[in-house]
Amino acid sequence: MEGQKWEELNMDILVNVLRRVGMESLLLDVPYVCKSWYKASREPHPDRGFAERLAMTYQENLSVTASVKLILNRSCGHATIIKLPNYCTEEALEYVANQCPRLKVLDVGDFNMSIEAIIPQFISKWKSLEMMRLGKFHMKEVLPEIGLHCNNFIWLSAPETYIGKDEAAAIVTSLPQLKYLDLHGASFEKETLVMILQGCKQLVHLDIRDCWGFHGVDAEILKLASHIPAFMWEGSIGIPEIESSYVHDLKLDHELFCDQINHRTAFMI
């Protein structure tokens, strides 16, 4: 009597079985057996994610660049969502640019400050880009390129970032169609927030929870944000005695770091 076929197994069971095979088989063999195996090979594993398991398997034997190439080759040019690995290399980023013409979502990550400096030269390759999460720096260099080449861009996330007047101006002038803006935990003054609210008329979502540098939302801010259906502002902090000097010092630290990164990048390129 014919038993149940492998492709007819419950997906949770199939995932549990396939997580026990070797990484090379999971990458190079399993996805090409049938559609159900392909889907199961892409499911998050109960004990750890695919990327973590890949790192645990190869560790020092597989560089960041090699792992990026390996995964993107598997996507056959169809990848639409990319989160750059920590300490991503310029070579890996260039590979992403060349191999992902359909990219819609790019997460730069938290430990790729020098990579942010060279992202502008690749933006023109991602004309379908809709969403990006930036790190702490280089916003005013990246956003004009997005505004020039990415007509469908609607979502910017820049949590825990310093937003000065230059950064706010870049948001307003480069992204007039912006609908979603996440500045959760960022640092900025009230005047900067006013610039954004006055300039970004298409916003439907603005997150400024737990921000530093101003005393929360007052009547003026609420009026300017009245057109935004999802306006989240709870938890902002501004202490009268230290607010001005805190933001000033943070701005100086931000500018100094950007200068250092730009200097290093010039030698890297």
Side-chain angles (χ1 to χ4, degrees), residues 43 133 194:
E43 286 289 322
R133 184 173 83 93
V194 169

Side-chain angles (χ1 to χ4, degrees), residues 107 109-110 116 132-137 139 155-163 181-187 207 209-211:
D107 186 339
D110 297 320
E116 282 188 43
M132 176 181 282
R133 184 173 83 93
L134 282 171
K136 300 181 183 300
F137 308 98
M139 184 182 295
W155 192 315
L156 174 65
S157 179
E160 300 180 0
T161 304
Y162 173 75
I163 306 294
L181 180 58
D182 176 12
L183 300 178
H184 187 183
S187 302
D207 186 349
R209 289 173 297 170
D210 302 319
C211 289

Side-chain angles (χ1 to χ4, degrees), residues 209-266:
R209 289 173 297 170
D210 302 319
C211 289
W212 288 79
F214 68 103
H215 286 285
V217 172
D218 55 21
E220 179 186 8
I221 297 298
L222 288 175
K223 182 177 180 180
L224 289 172
S226 60
H227 66 286
I228 305 175
F231 178 43
M232 295 173 285
W233 51 269
E234 298 82 1
S236 60
I237 299 173
I239 304 173
E241 292 77 10
I242 67 171
E243 176 181 327
S244 178
S245 61
Y246 171 80
V247 174
H248 178 70
D249 292 344
L250 186 63
K251 179 179 180 181
L252 292 179
D253 291 343
H254 168 83
E255 293 175 347
L256 176 61
F257 192 90
C258 283
D259 289 342
Q260 292 174 341
I261 290 296
N262 288 334
H263 178 72
R264 293 173 185 171
T265 304

Side-chain angles (χ1 to χ4, degrees), residues 6-222:
W6 276 94
E7 61 268 24
E8 296 174 352
L9 280 178
N10 175 277
M11 183 57 66
D12 290 339
I13 296 176
L14 187 55
V15 168
N16 191 277
V17 171
L18 294 182
R19 60 181 277 262
R20 302 169 191 274
V21 306
M23 181 57 66
E24 291 187 9
S25 293
L26 188 62
L27 285 169
L28 304 176
D29 301 323
V30 168
Y32 306 102
V33 173
C34 61
K35 291 182 179 179
S36 63
W37 283 38
Y38 170 77
K39 183 179 179 180
S41 72
R42 300 178 69 85
E43 286 289 322
H45 298 302
D47 58 341
R48 60 171 67 98
F50 174 81
E52 183 181 351
R53 187 179 173 197
L54 183 67
M56 290 288 291
T57 300
Y58 291 102
Q59 294 181 350
E60 296 180 358
N61 294 325
L62 190 66
S63 67
V64 168
T65 301
S67 63
V68 168
K69 289 183 177 181
L70 184 65
I71 293 173
L72 290 186
N73 287 342
R74 187 185 181 205
S75 76
C76 300
H78 295 287
T80 58
I81 301 175
I82 296 290
K83 179 177 180 179
L84 298 179
N86 291 343
Y87 308 107
C88 181
T89 64
E90 180 180 349
E91 182 182 357
L93 179 62
E94 184 173 5
Y95 200 79
V96 170
N98 292 329
Q99 296 298 318
C100 301
R102 303 180 184 183
L103 189 66
K104 292 185 178 182
V105 181
L106 178 62
D107 186 339
V108 176
D110 297 320
F111 300 98
N112 291 311
M113 284 81 79
S114 60
I115 286 298
E116 282 188 43
I118 61 175
I119 281 180
Q121 64 185 277
F122 299 118
I123 294 292
S124 61
K125 295 180 179 290
W126 300 317
K127 298 186 184 301
S128 299
L129 193 66
E130 299 176 4
M131 303 169 57
M132 176 181 282
R133 184 173 83 93
L134 282 171
K136 300 181 183 300
F137 308 98
H138 301 291
M139 184 182 295
K140 59 186 179 183
E141 290 82 26
V142 174
L143 297 190
E145 292 298 315
I146 293 178
L148 184 62
H149 299 287
C150 308
N151 294 330
N152 298 323
F153 195 88
I154 58 171
W155 192 315
L156 174 65
S157 179
E160 300 180 0
T161 304
Y162 173 75
I163 306 294
K165 291 184 178 180
D166 289 343
E167 287 75 23
I171 293 173
V172 170
T173 59
S174 302
L175 308 176
Q177 304 302 317
L178 192 67
K179 293 185 177 181
Y180 301 87
L181 180 58
D182 176 12
L183 300 178
H184 187 183
S187 302
F188 49 83
E189 297 172 315
K190 177 183 175 180
E191 290 76 8
T192 301
L193 177 58
V194 169
M195 285 179 60
I196 293 173
L197 291 172
Q198 289 177 336
C200 297
K201 297 298 186 180
Q202 303 299 318
L203 284 179
V204 298
H205 174 102
L206 175 59
D207 186 349
I208 58 168
R209 289 173 297 170
D210 302 319
C211 289
W212 288 79
F214 68 103
H215 286 285
V217 172
D218 55 21
E220 179 186 8
I221 297 298
L222 288 175

